Amino acid sequence: MSVKEWDKEKYKGVFVAMYSAYDDTGEVSEERVRKLARYYVSTGVNGLYVGGSSGEGILQTAEERKLVLETVMDEVAKELTVIVHVGANSTKESAELAVHAESVGADAISSVPAIYYRLSEAAVERHWQEMIDSTSLPFIIYNIPQTTGFHLSQSLFKKMAVQDKVIGIKMSGESVFELQQFKVNAEKPFLVYNGPDEQYLGGRIMGADGGIGGTYGVMPELFCRLERLYREGEINEAQQLQCKINAIISKLLSFPSLYGACKAILSLRGIETGIPRLPLLPVGEEDMGSLEALNEEIGKLTASYTRYQV
């Protein structure tokens, strides 16, 4: 299917990298998945990125990942654009997850290279190609070299991007220059998502069409506001807001794990998602005072802006 047949606008804007949602025994909770997805609908974000780093997809079984996606689609499919991370260590499982994503109506699939093994470009290309060929869905490359150890070259990128079904890249590397190069080198209408939350504005200025991020999950309204300020050309105010967001991110990174801190903050708001799955660490009781203060800080900053739908 030609990329021209896909509605580009539905893939732009603020996409929350959705967290895992477990019950008190550590098993996937459909009820909590639904509540979390429903919460994000209420905040004005454009979509969800399911099963990525924030969603702990790599730490879940294929059946758990399918259950999470089925629940999300059943709850919010008609209200948000849903991109699914289907990457797994084996190509076979990745393709299986891709086929499942199409069967439940996901809007697009995405994948990192396989982790652990240091793979050649030919191996990564074959890995991604199997997923691309397994469905008719749009495919979004996920480039995050700091965790995968694979640095996507512009030559391999160009080879992948020429395909009609490859419509975008989630650029989680830290170089906005490289982000801009991906945008230019696609040589066709192409989506680029900013990955590092602390440089959302920088990514947008350098050509990103929106962002996918984990810390969006505890301050979605702030990222929606940041997106609106950028679109309206209010760059100075946007810069000020990005700096305030970055101060919050710095505090989140001071806890035993980013995801543990974010999930604990949601719990303070009555949105239970359980603790992250080991080896990701939960926060301890000694951290709760600091998290309560940080949650209050986020609340005050959010309240200073008017909620809106991007």
Side-chain angles (χ1 to χ4, degrees):
M1 183 173 290
S2 171
V3 68
K4 293 180 181 178
E5 296 179 41
W6 297 97
D7 177 9
K8 289 294 189 302
E9 293 305 311
K10 72 181 290 184
Y11 295 98
K12 295 180 178 181
V14 177
F15 282 71
V16 172
M18 187 172 170
Y19 305 130
S20 62
Y22 304 125
D23 63 22
D24 294 339
T25 68
E27 299 300 319
V28 171
S29 167
E30 294 176 65
E31 179 183 356
R32 290 180 174 183
V33 170
R34 287 182 184 279
K35 186 172 182 179
L36 183 59
R38 178 54 47 193
Y39 165 64
Y40 291 131
V41 170
S42 73
T43 65
V45 300
N46 298 91
L48 299 175
Y49 189 87
V50 178
S53 304
S54 301
E56 303 174 33
I58 295 296
L59 301 180
Q60 296 174 351
T61 67
E63 293 309 310
E64 287 177 317
R65 294 172 74 171
K66 291 176 183 179
L67 177 59
V68 171
L69 179 57
E70 289 166 7
T71 307
V72 169
M73 296 303 297
D74 187 60
E75 184 68 24
V76 301
K78 296 180 181 179
E79 299 167 87
L80 296 176
T81 299
V82 178
I83 302 170
V84 188
H85 177 254
V86 298
N89 266 353
S90 80
T91 303
K92 180 180 179 181
E93 186 171 294
S94 301
E96 175 188 334
L97 290 167
V99 170
H100 174 262
E102 183 170 38
S103 74
V104 298
D107 294 289
I109 56 174
S110 178
S111 178
V112 295
I115 60 174
Y116 181 74
Y117 293 103
R118 290 297 177 257
L119 300 173
S120 66
E121 288 200 341
V124 172
E125 179 185 357
R126 177 69 180 273
H127 184 61
W128 280 336
Q129 196 63 52
E130 291 285 334
M131 289 174 247
I132 293 167
D133 292 342
S134 68
T135 81
S136 63
L137 290 176
F139 183 81
I140 296 166
I141 297 167
Y142 186 177
N143 183 46
I144 182 167
Q146 61 268 42
T147 61
T148 63
F150 181 81
H151 294 261
L152 177 62
S153 69
Q154 292 294 332
S155 60
L156 177 57
F157 170 74
K158 289 180 182 179
K159 193 174 181 180
M160 302 302 300
V162 73
Q163 301 181 61
D164 282 341
K165 284 191 287 185
V166 180
I167 68 165
I169 182 170
K170 180 180 186 292
M171 172 51 181
S172 291
E174 297 174 352
S175 168
V176 291
F177 167 70
E178 194 172 11
L179 179 152
Q180 183 263 343
Q181 290 296 290
F182 286 133
K183 186 74 172 181
V184 171
N185 288 334
E187 298 182 348
K188 69 178 187 183
F190 196 79
L191 297 160
V192 174
Y193 294 96
N194 181 77
D197 302 3
E198 62 275 15
Q199 64 182 43
Y200 185 95
L201 179 60
R204 286 293 272 131
I205 288 172
M206 293 307 293
D209 298 281
I212 299 171
T215 65
Y216 302 7
V218 292
M219 44 184 163
E221 295 94 344
L222 295 181
F223 278 94
C224 286
R225 177 63 176 176
L226 185 57
E227 171 66 15
R228 183 179 182 182
L229 288 170
Y230 169 77
R231 290 187 183 185
E232 294 178 350
E234 300 291 342
I235 303 302
N236 288 338
E237 188 176 347
Q239 182 186 26
Q240 293 172 22
L241 177 55
Q242 180 76 77
C243 290
K244 292 174 183 177
I245 287 172
N246 288 357
I248 294 169
I249 292 174
S250 293
K251 293 175 183 178
L252 286 169
L253 291 172
S254 71
F255 294 97
S257 79
L258 171 64
Y259 305 126
C262 290
K263 288 160 73 70
I265 284 176
L266 288 179
S267 178
L268 292 171
R269 300 174 189 172
I271 305 170
E272 298 292 344
T273 60
I275 61 174
R277 184 166 285 180
L278 292 172
L280 297 176
L281 295 174
V283 295
E285 286 299 321
E286 67 277 9
D287 298 310
M288 292 311 297
S290 297
L291 282 168
E292 288 171 358
L294 184 54
N295 183 47
E296 184 176 348
E297 180 182 341
I298 294 170
K300 288 180 179 178
L301 185 56
T302 299
S304 68
Y305 294 103
T306 301
R307 290 192 178 192
Y308 65 92
Q309 188 75 27
V310 174

